[in-house]
Amino acid sequence: MSTLEKNFWLTTVQAPEVPVRPLPDRVDVAVIGAGFTGLSAARTLAKGGARVAVLEAENLGWGASCRNGGMVLSGLKLGIPALLKRYGHQAAKRMYAASLESIDCVEEIVREQGIACDFARCGHLEVACKPKHFEEFRSGAETIEQEFGRRLKIVEKKDLRSEIGSAIYHGGIVDEASAGVNPARYVAGLGCAAAKAGAEIHEKTRVTGLERAASGGESGWKVTTSRGAVPAKDVLVATSGYTSGVTPSLQKKIIPIGSFIIVTDVLRRELARELSPRGRMIYDSKNYLYYYRLTPDRRMLFGGRAAFFPENENTVRESARILREGMIRVYPQLRDVRVGFVWGGTLDFAFDIMPHAGRMDSMYFSVGYAGHGVAMATLLGKKMAEAILSGRDENPFAGIGFPGAPLGLYNGNPWFLPLAGAWYKFLDWVS
Ligand SMILES: Cc1cc2nc3c(=O)[nH]c(=O)nc-3n(C[C@H](O)[C@H](O)[C@H](O)COP(=O)(O)OP(=O)(O)OC[C@H]3O[C@@H](n4cnc5c(N)ncnc54)[C@H](O)[C@@H]3O)c2cc1C
């Protein structure tokens, strides 16, 4: 087994059996990518009576959807003050509400389909790395209460022991609405739900070309794949951080950024309780942040942007070392605990750090989750399916403008990632 395959979550799930079958003669919608976005969309489309084929280059859930931390979080990557400043009260309220709706959406699917994926509303805890960050938590909580009518819990440094067994932070903020999930089990269950609703899933079917073409008297697409071509009336691109030159306009708007995770051996019950007494989803207040949680079987899962470049043998090996050091700084109690797993995956960031969904070059798309995609990809996949079925796009981010790189200095090759990494480290030092 190579290092890249050592994803802990994959040891907890049996890969769903996806039958190998010929590609269909024609479909209403070709969905590219079988992660949360594509499978959630396929489920809704098939339930709405559309003939759908999900075309996946690798296996169901192969992308970020089975590699993530399983944090089902409220809010967006962009902070509330920036969201309000940029979009105004009405739009910011709609987007914030969508983040809460996205958690409900995951919960509903899990319940409806009976997916055994350890979904639990355990809440999340953000911890302040500097006193100034804690002051920002306070003012952020006040803004959320004033603008959106929700009260989050502020935890003073002296009370932090009830939330986390680490002495290095300056306080925290808790949102009880957030949840945790086993992402590999969830994406497998979502795939089964899409198939049960009538969607065809085709693994090892890489889309290699897209051309406008009429078929049966209707305008649409010729979708060329590694296994042949499929005519489709509509196309939904759900390729996230793995977006390629097949959709060049979209590729130029998405920065693929690596994120990496280590997982320890199973911890003693008392130690696990000391580290995370309430079993929260935890992340810190840095730009170059750490995120961590206990797994359902009591291991510490510890992740971060240890390298900015996407996963390969070098970035994964380097990340194992960096993350272990980071974990021990947070939790010296784990000094003698073995790390058994390390893996990486690719996040998709837009230049404005916002999710984007809509139409581009006559294709539907939903991307840009910036590390908040477990819930939001599920919701936006559903919303884009509803847009295709009804012809009305009511996704909460419709029409916000999708900026590309400044001066157009990006063709899909992220040459600036080392600079961005250094810049974020600098910001963490000074702010
Ligand atoms: C290490 C890590 C930790 C994360 N932690 C969290 C977390 O705790 N909470 C959270 O909310 N989010 C987290 N995220 C982000 C979250 O996982 C993603 O936002 C989400 O999974 C995106 O889902 P998706 O379906 O859009 O894309 P993906 O799951 O990435 O799926 C895209 C799929 O498209 C396929 N594809 C690409 N090109 C083609 C082609 N030409 N033809 C056919 N198929 C193609 C790929 O093979 C891939 O399977 C994390 C991500 C990573 C990498």
Side-chain angles (χ1 to χ4, degrees), residues 32-38 55-58 62-65 67-71 205-207 238-240 242 244 246 259-261 291 345-348 369 371-375 377:
I32 312 177
F36 299 137
T37 307
L55 309 169
E56 166 56 52
E58 304 288 344
W62 175 89
S65 295
R67 302 168 188 242
N68 60 74
M71 302 191 176
T205 307
R206 180 177 294 279
V207 173
T239 47
S240 190
Y242 298 90
S244 68
V246 172
S259 190
F260 301 85
I261 291 179
Y291 51 91
T346 306
L347 302 169
D348 54 340
Y369 307 112
H372 272 52
V374 176

Side-chain angles (χ1 to χ4, degrees), residues 243-291:
T243 300
S244 68
V246 172
T247 50
S249 309
L250 198 58
Q251 189 191 23
K252 280 184 204 153
K253 302 216 171 193
I254 287 297
I255 314 162
I257 293 184
S259 190
F260 301 85
I261 291 179
I262 54 174
V263 169
T264 65
D265 284 348
V266 175
L267 306 177
R268 281 181 295 107
R269 197 173 292 279
E270 312 77 65
L271 177 58
R273 202 176 305 120
E274 179 192 330
L275 301 180
S276 179
R278 297 174 200 262
R280 306 275 196 213
M281 303 291 115
I282 307 176
Y283 56 91
D284 72 33
S285 58
K286 294 193 303 295
N287 290 297
Y288 224 89
L289 59 76
Y290 291 136
Y291 51 91

